[in-house]
Amino acid sequence: MKNNWWKGLTVLLLLYTAVAGLLVPVPRLAILNETIRNLYFHVPMWFGMTFILIASVYYSIRYLRTPTPELDIRSHESARIGILMGIVGLATGSIWARYTWGTWWTNDPKLNGAAIAMLIYGAYLVLRSSFTDEQQRARISAIYNIFAFATAMPLFYILPRLTDSLHPGAGGNPAFAKYDLDNAMRAVFYPAVIGWTLLAFWLAQVASRISLLKLKVYEKQLA
């Protein structure tokens, strides 16, 4: 129980985010209006995605140095949760765009970069399923995972800042923290970032444990 305190913290933070995110007053900005509350969900999901993908790459590097099934599984499951968070992030962003930009999707470098990054990680899942040899699959997947991360992060955070973009924080368009994220919103936003990030690690931990149990059962069947 002492090692699971962070799970209780995750639940509390997400409950706080859900309740405060709907009730705490927000700046009355033109166009955004009440949709600015999506900041507590859409943006923190991207943070959670980024941190869990970093963990996935960490396990991939460790696997290449010391190949073990456990490291491969942890890398794979972390990547899967990262992809899930990314897809949900795209979905919440698309809903937000519909109410603020008047369209579900637009030819914006930030949006296109995020979509391409998700496709790159989607190819990671396809690549894993194309191998039957476990060691070969794990090694090639680890190498590709590192490549995917090195390619996706610039698409998410660097290239959109070099061009004009509707998206806040890109192309000279200031991020919320610079012009309208008041103290009341910060009191919800920062806990939301921590909560969604912890949730990503929690989901990855559960998925890894399930996969490890399946591996042990399979090995016992072969013995």
Side-chain angles (χ1 to χ4, degrees):
M1 293 296 294
K2 292 182 179 179
N3 296 327
N4 293 326
W5 61 269
W6 61 275
K7 296 179 181 178
L9 178 62
T10 302
V11 174
L12 290 176
L13 287 174
L14 291 180
L15 284 175
Y16 170 73
T17 298
V19 175
L22 295 175
L23 299 180
V24 169
V26 294
R28 308 304 301 176
L29 299 175
I31 301 177
L32 286 175
N33 298 311
E34 288 293 317
T35 67
I36 197 174
R37 296 183 185 276
N38 198 18
L39 183 73
Y40 305 135
F41 305 94
H42 170 64
V43 179
M45 287 178 186
W46 287 117
F47 276 97
M49 175 204 69
T50 301
F51 286 121
I52 198 63
L53 289 180
I54 290 174
S56 178
V57 170
Y58 167 73
Y59 287 123
S60 289
I61 295 173
R62 285 187 59 189
Y63 177 86
L64 293 175
R65 296 180 61 183
T66 310
T68 64
E70 180 179 355
L71 290 174
D72 174 54
I73 287 174
R74 292 190 181 280
S75 175
H76 176 222
E77 296 301 341
S78 296
R80 287 180 61 194
I81 298 304
I83 294 170
L84 174 62
M85 298 288 283
I87 291 174
V88 177
L90 282 177
T92 53
S94 181
I95 294 172
W96 203 357
R98 175 64 180 83
Y99 286 96
T100 56
W101 300 343
T103 181
W104 297 100
W105 196 272
T106 185
N107 188 26
D108 185 89
K110 181 77 172 182
L111 275 64
N112 292 338
I116 294 172
M118 286 294 96
L119 290 175
I120 291 173
Y121 268 101
Y124 165 81
L125 299 179
V126 175
L127 179 67
R128 282 189 66 90
S129 65
S130 64
F131 290 95
T132 55
D133 182 86
E134 295 181 1
Q135 292 184 352
Q136 185 181 31
R137 177 183 61 198
R139 183 171 181 80
I140 293 178
S141 295
I143 295 172
Y144 182 88
N145 189 29
I146 297 170
F147 160 79
F149 182 83
T151 305
M153 289 304 106
L155 289 172
F156 277 124
Y157 300 113
I158 298 177
L159 293 182
R161 293 179 179 273
L162 303 179
T163 58
D164 292 331
S165 174
L166 290 171
H167 197 283
N173 189 1
F176 286 109
K178 292 184 178 180
Y179 73 97
D180 61 20
L181 188 58
D182 60 16
N183 290 332
M185 290 195 71
R186 290 190 181 94
V188 182
F189 176 73
Y190 294 129
V193 170
I194 298 172
W196 285 107
T197 300
L198 290 177
L199 178 63
F201 279 88
W202 190 355
L203 293 173
Q205 184 189 72
V206 172
S208 297
R209 286 182 175 178
I210 293 174
S211 295
L212 286 169
L213 286 174
K214 289 180 178 179
L215 178 62
K216 290 181 179 179
V217 170
Y218 177 72
E219 289 176 344
K220 287 183 178 179
Q221 290 176 346
L222 293 179

